[in-house]
């Protein structure tokens, strides 16, 4: 029996010796294959635990009716903290001390200074967004030429879904350094404007009533506060009005505005209200007209003579 088990024992000893034999050393710490595998397992388990614990935290906050932006921020911080702790444990298993990490950090800072400025800037901007929360998941924002709904705020970038159902990855630094319009910051209600011009001579009160009726007839427009039509300017060719209305259908506001404009066109047609187009009057003096006629006749005569 012992002779039968001896080859197996020899192979097992050889395997253990292979796994525990130092491959290289860092700061007088000998690194073996087994310690590397164990460290990788620690990181893998910490990531899984962080993900699962983050979901539990998010669910608990949801039950307490905590705002979605606060939930996402707390969940991300909790997950990142657990992952960092796992990484520190794995490094400790490898024998890497805090002093070694400080040395590595110094090297990384030099690298950041030379070629990783954008990555560092976006990373720090992501932390600022998670802490200050000027934007949160679900908000409808405009930054630069990008407009859409925020799907996710990551450490380096933010994912935005446009109204065309396209996904745009925006660096976090843009939300910190550029002007950002957050249409959902104060809630799902915002005021919109539609500019309309009518011909001179139109009944102003009738125009204002038609504009308010056009907006008020749409179910997506809030009745409180009610729509208002203001005369804003006597233009070159038209009397310009500004129709203002409130709506909670922020995501489909383009369609809402289009439908209201169609209704305005129908009401104006029924009320015989004209929407003018730019016109210019050209006045020619009689003397100038005579000179032009003489010049044209002379030119025509010369052409005939030739």
């Amino acid at each position: 029996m012992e002779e039968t088990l001896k080859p197996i024992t020899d192979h097992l000893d050889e395997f253990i010796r292979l796994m525990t034999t130092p491959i290289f050393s860092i700061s007088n710490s000998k690194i073996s294959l087994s310690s590397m595998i164990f460290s990788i397992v620690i990181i893998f388990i910490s990531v899984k635990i962080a993900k699962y614990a983050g979901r539990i935290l998010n669910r608990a906050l949801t039950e307490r009716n905590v705002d979605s932006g606060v939930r996402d921020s707390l969940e991300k911080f909790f997950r990142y903290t657990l992952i960092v702790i796992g990484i520190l444990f794995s490094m400790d298993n490898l024998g890497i001390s805090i002093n070694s990490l400080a040395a590595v950090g110094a090297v990384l800072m030099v690298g950041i200074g030379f070629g990783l400025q954008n990555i560092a800037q976006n990373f720090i901007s992501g932390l600022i967004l998670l802490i200050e929360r000027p934007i949160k998941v679900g908000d409808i924002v405009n930054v630069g030429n990008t407009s859409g709904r925020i799907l996710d705020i990551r450490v380096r970038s933010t994912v935005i879904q446009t109204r065309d159902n396209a996904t745009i990855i925006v660096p976090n630094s843009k939300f910190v350094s550029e002007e950002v319009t957050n249409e959902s910051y104060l809630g799902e209600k915002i005021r919109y404007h539609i500019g309309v011009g009518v011909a001179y001579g139109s009944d102003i009160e009738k125009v204002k009533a038609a504009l308010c009726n056009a907006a008020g007839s749409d179910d997506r427009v809030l009745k409180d506060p009610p729509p208002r039509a203001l005369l804003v300017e006597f233009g070159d060719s038209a009397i310009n009005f500004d129709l203002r209305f409130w709506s909670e259908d922020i995501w489909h506001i383009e369609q809402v505005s289009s439908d209201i404009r169609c209704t305005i066109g129908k009401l104006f047609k029924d009320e015989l209200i004209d929407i003018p187009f730019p016109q210019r009057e050209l006045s020619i003096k009689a003397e100038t007209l005579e000179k032009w006629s003489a010049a044209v006749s002379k030119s025509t005569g010369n052409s005939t003579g030739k």
Side-chain angles (χ1 to χ4, degrees), residues 9 19 51 54 64 72 80 88 128-129 136 139 155 157 191 202-204 206 208 210 230 235 248 276 283 288 294 300:
T9 306
M19 295 294 293
K51 187 175 181 180
R64 288 169 173 77
D72 293 332
Y80 295 154
L88 291 177
I128 293 174
L129 294 179
K136 61 182 182 295
D139 283 353
V155 175
S157 60
R191 188 175 72 176
S202 301
D203 189 323
I204 292 179
K206 185 184 293 186
K208 293 172 64 176
L230 303 180
E248 293 179 338
S283 299
T288 305
T300 303

Side-chain angles (χ1 to χ4, degrees), residues 91-192:
M91 290 184 172
D92 182 70
N93 177 69
L94 293 175
I96 301 176
S97 62
I98 300 299
N99 294 331
S100 300
L101 292 178
V104 174
V107 174
L108 289 177
M109 291 302 294
V110 174
I112 290 173
F114 280 101
L116 303 178
Q117 298 98 328
N118 290 335
I119 296 177
Q121 183 181 11
N122 290 323
F123 176 78
I124 295 174
S125 298
L127 296 179
I128 293 174
L129 294 179
L130 291 175
I131 295 173
E132 292 188 353
R133 296 180 56 250
I135 59 174
K136 61 182 182 295
V137 175
D139 283 353
I140 299 175
V141 299
N142 298 282
V143 53
N145 296 324
T146 302
S147 175
R149 189 193 305 275
I150 295 179
L151 297 182
D152 189 18
I153 301 175
R154 301 172 180 173
V155 175
R156 191 194 64 83
S157 60
T158 296
V159 182
I160 294 181
Q161 176 191 11
T162 68
R163 288 181 171 86
D164 297 328
N165 203 30
T167 301
I168 300 179
I169 311 299
V170 181
N172 286 332
S173 58
K174 280 199 169 186
F175 290 96
V176 176
S177 60
E178 296 186 9
E179 182 177 299
V180 179
T181 302
N182 188 344
E183 298 182 1
S184 308
Y185 188 77
L186 297 178
E188 294 295 327
K189 182 176 75 171
I190 194 169
R191 188 175 72 176
Y192 294 92

Side-chain angles (χ1 to χ4, degrees), residues 18-261:
L18 176 65
M19 295 294 293
T20 57
T21 300
I23 302 175
F24 58 91
S25 61
I26 300 178
S27 300
N28 298 325
S29 299
K30 297 180 180 180
I31 309 301
S32 62
L33 188 60
S34 60
S35 61
M36 293 176 61
I37 295 176
F38 187 66
S39 297
I40 294 174
V41 171
I42 291 176
I43 295 176
F44 178 79
I45 293 175
S46 65
V47 171
K48 291 296 183 181
I49 292 176
K51 187 175 181 180
Y52 182 71
R55 290 178 180 176
I56 295 176
L57 177 62
N58 195 310
R59 192 180 303 115
L61 294 175
T62 302
E63 294 175 354
R64 288 169 173 77
N65 297 323
V66 179
D67 183 77
S68 60
V70 176
R71 292 200 310 266
D72 293 332
S73 299
L74 291 177
E75 180 187 356
K76 283 184 171 64
F77 273 118
F78 187 63
R79 287 170 55 185
Y80 295 154
T81 301
L82 291 180
I83 292 174
V84 169
I85 292 175
I87 293 175
L88 291 177
F89 270 114
S90 66
M91 290 184 172
D92 182 70
N93 177 69
L94 293 175
I96 301 176
S97 62
I98 300 299
N99 294 331
S100 300
L101 292 178
V104 174
V107 174
L108 289 177
M109 291 302 294
V110 174
I112 290 173
F114 280 101
L116 303 178
Q117 298 98 328
N118 290 335
I119 296 177
Q121 183 181 11
N122 290 323
F123 176 78
I124 295 174
S125 298
L127 296 179
I128 293 174
L129 294 179
L130 291 175
I131 295 173
E132 292 188 353
R133 296 180 56 250
I135 59 174
K136 61 182 182 295
V137 175
D139 283 353
I140 299 175
V141 299
N142 298 282
V143 53
N145 296 324
T146 302
S147 175
R149 189 193 305 275
I150 295 179
L151 297 182
D152 189 18
I153 301 175
R154 301 172 180 173
V155 175
R156 191 194 64 83
S157 60
T158 296
V159 182
I160 294 181
Q161 176 191 11
T162 68
R163 288 181 171 86
D164 297 328
N165 203 30
T167 301
I168 300 179
I169 311 299
V170 181
N172 286 332
S173 58
K174 280 199 169 186
F175 290 96
V176 176
S177 60
E178 296 186 9
E179 182 177 299
V180 179
T181 302
N182 188 344
E183 298 182 1
S184 308
Y185 188 77
L186 297 178
E188 294 295 327
K189 182 176 75 171
I190 194 169
R191 188 175 72 176
Y192 294 92
H193 303 254
I194 295 179
V196 181
V198 300
Y200 277 97
S202 301
D203 189 323
I204 292 179
E205 295 302 323
K206 185 184 293 186
V207 172
K208 293 172 64 176
L211 292 175
C212 292
N213 290 336
S217 63
D218 196 300
D219 295 335
R220 294 161 295 184
V221 174
L222 298 180
K223 302 301 184 289
D224 185 23
R228 297 183 61 192
L230 303 180
L231 196 162
V232 295
E233 182 186 22
F234 290 100
D236 293 338
S237 304
I239 305 175
N240 296 320
F241 291 83
D242 181 31
L243 174 60
R244 304 176 180 182
F245 62 93
W246 292 81
S247 176
E248 293 179 338
D249 197 355
I250 301 177
W251 186 247
H252 301 100
I253 194 60
E254 294 177 350
Q255 184 63 48
V256 175
S257 299
S258 175
D259 294 342
I260 292 176
R261 290 188 180 97

